[in-house]
Each structure stands twice: as C-alpha cells, then as structure tokens.
Amino acid sequence: GQQVMQIPQYQHVQEGEDFTTYCNSSTTLSNIQWYKQRPGGHPVFLIQLVKSGEVKKQKRLTFQFGEAKKNSSLHITATQTTDVGTYFCAGRRETSYDKVIFGPGTSLSVIP
Amino acid sequence: DTEVTQTPKHLVMGMTNKKSLKCEQHMGHRAMYWYKQKAKKPPELMFVYSYEKLSINESVPSRFSPECPNSSLLNLHLHALQPEDSALYLCASSQEPGTAYEQYFGPGTRLTVT
C-alpha cells in the first residue's frame, strides 16, 4: 500500500537556526498537505500543494512539492520558540478519494 | 465560526462501560472524520462521513460505532473497549469530501481505558 515517510523523526535546533523536514511517498500524490501539532494540541492545517514543482511561502515557512509529486519539504528560516511542535505531511491515498495518509511527523524542538 | 468542538475533553472508562464521544461543527462542512492518535504517532483515520453517510471505515473493531445524526454532529459510541484503545480521539471536518480540502481538527478527547 501507499506509504508516506518523513525525515528526520526529531530535530533539535538553536533558536535562529534553519530547519527542514522532508516527506517522501512511495507513489505519486495528487496533492500534499502540511499540518502542525503543538505539544498537547491538535493538528492545524498549514498549507496544501497541488502542482508539480510548486513552491509556496508563508512568512518564514517555505513549502515545496517535488517535480514527480512524490516528495515535499517544509523549510523554516530562523526558527523561533513558537515553531516548536510536530510537523506532519499528509498525502492522498491512491485508491481512496477522500482519505489522506499522514506521515509519521517530524518533532521540532527549539532551544532558546 | 471556524471551530470544531469535542466533548468530553477527558474520559476514563472501564472495559465494561458504554460511553460516547461527541463532535460538532457549524461551518457547513459536509465531510467529518474520526481519527485515533497514540502518543508520538500521526493521526490514524478511523471513519469518514460524506454528506452524513459513512464512506470509509478503516477496518475499525465493532466496539467503536460511529453515528452522524445530522450535518453538524458526529458521535463515536464506545463499548467494551480494551486498554490498548487508550488514545487521543480527534474529530475533523472539511468543506467537502475529498482530499483537496483542508481538515479542521477539534481539540480531541483523551480517552483512558482501565
């Protein structure tokens, strides 16, 4: 079946450093969504990427969708303590119209 | 109102109890979801309701029984649960069914089965 993988599993950075998490799928994705979950919180939608090679920015966050639509990345410039949390990518399962598969997530810690 | 609410926030139940989790949204969304999330794991889809009809059941044991009384409400009825069912249960909704739409998650119900 379709698998969505993310690396790294954990990342500890000094405040002000950059951070990147990578999402890889075993199959082509129709779209990819990114969610952030703060400790003790619930997932919150960040962005959706649909087109091959698409790049979107939200302030210090840059999201990319690979040309083959099998991978994606989230890059945070100059991390802040408010960036702490787990970042999940979620892609559409090839056999199901209304289901997304969540990647295992990357947990980000920011050391002040 | 862009909020999904869930009650209760916490629930402790014995293996012989029957309880229900409730979820509500007033955004006019036509798809609603139940997820189970264990610590340090991603949300795991359990059920999807599209236009108040069950469209996906991810082979969830029958001790979990979903119900969608109307377009704003989603329930999850629990009966004879096992300790391994202890987890955070998240409800979500999206404007329409289909993965082109972002999901709005509720705060979750933290369930402990003793």
Side-chain angles (χ1 to χ4, degrees):
Chain A
Q2 179 187 16
Q3 285 190 316
V4 176
M5 297 151 284
Q6 276 185 261
I7 54 169
Q9 188 177 359
Y10 300 98
Q11 185 81 59
H12 306 277
V13 299
Q14 202 75 34
E15 188 172 16
E17 290 181 341
D18 292 356
F19 159 77
T20 304
T21 174
Y22 299 91
C23 178
N24 295 289
S25 170
S26 56
T27 59
T28 303
L29 301 170
S30 62
N31 58 23
I32 195 152
Q33 297 175 342
W34 284 92
Y35 292 81
K36 175 184 178 182
Q37 185 171 19
R38 293 180 187 271
H42 57 276
V44 175
F45 175 82
L46 294 176
I47 208 151
Q48 174 168 272
L49 304 169
V50 178
K51 298 176 185 174
S52 169
E54 189 170 13
V55 178
K56 286 189 177 180
K57 293 191 176 187
Q58 287 179 350
K59 297 183 181 178
R60 295 178 295 104
L61 278 60
T62 301
F63 303 84
Q64 290 191 324
F65 202 8
E67 293 290 340
K69 299 183 76 173
K70 285 187 172 184
N71 55 71
S72 180
S73 65
L74 158 57
H75 179 82
I76 302 178
T77 304
T79 54
Q80 300 175 358
T81 54
T82 52
D83 296 324
V84 166
T86 300
Y87 292 85
F88 294 102
C89 63
R92 173 184 171 239
R93 183 172 174 169
E94 59 192 355
T95 57
S96 180
Y97 169 66
D98 49 1
K99 171 179 176 175
V100 290
I101 298 279
F102 278 80
T106 295
S107 178
L108 172 64
S109 299
V110 178
I111 306 161
Chain B
D1 183 4
T2 58
E3 193 180 38
V4 176
T5 59
Q6 289 187 244
T7 55
K9 283 188 168 48
H10 300 274
L11 178 62
V12 179
M13 60 186 289
M15 290 189 284
T16 57
N17 291 160
K18 284 185 181 181
K19 296 286 184 184
S20 297
L21 309 184
K22 296 185 183 303
C23 173
E24 191 166 4
Q25 56 87 14
H26 294 288
M27 295 178 277
H29 287 179
R30 304 316 302 266
M32 296 186 77
Y33 312 80
W34 279 115
Y35 287 88
K36 174 183 178 180
Q37 187 177 31
K38 292 281 218 180
K40 300 189 186 303
K41 295 291 185 183
E44 184 183 331
L45 185 68
M46 300 174 72
F47 302 104
V48 180
Y49 272 83
S50 301
Y51 287 83
E52 301 163 49
K53 292 193 184 332
L54 184 65
S55 62
I56 291 181
N57 176 340
E58 286 291 290
S59 302
V60 179
S62 60
R63 57 185 184 269
F64 295 91
S65 174
E67 179 196 18
C68 189
N70 60 55
S71 60
S72 299
L73 291 173
L74 188 65
N75 299 322
L76 187 62
H77 303 297
L78 314 172
H79 173 55
L81 294 193
Q82 304 296 310
E84 59 265 28
D85 296 321
S86 299
L88 179 68
Y89 287 84
L90 293 161
C91 173
S93 70
S94 62
Q95 183 179 335
E96 294 284 336
T99 56
Y101 298 92
E102 65 184 271
Q103 294 186 38
Y104 291 77
F105 283 82
T109 293
R110 192 160 298 281
L111 174 67
T112 303
V113 181
T114 60

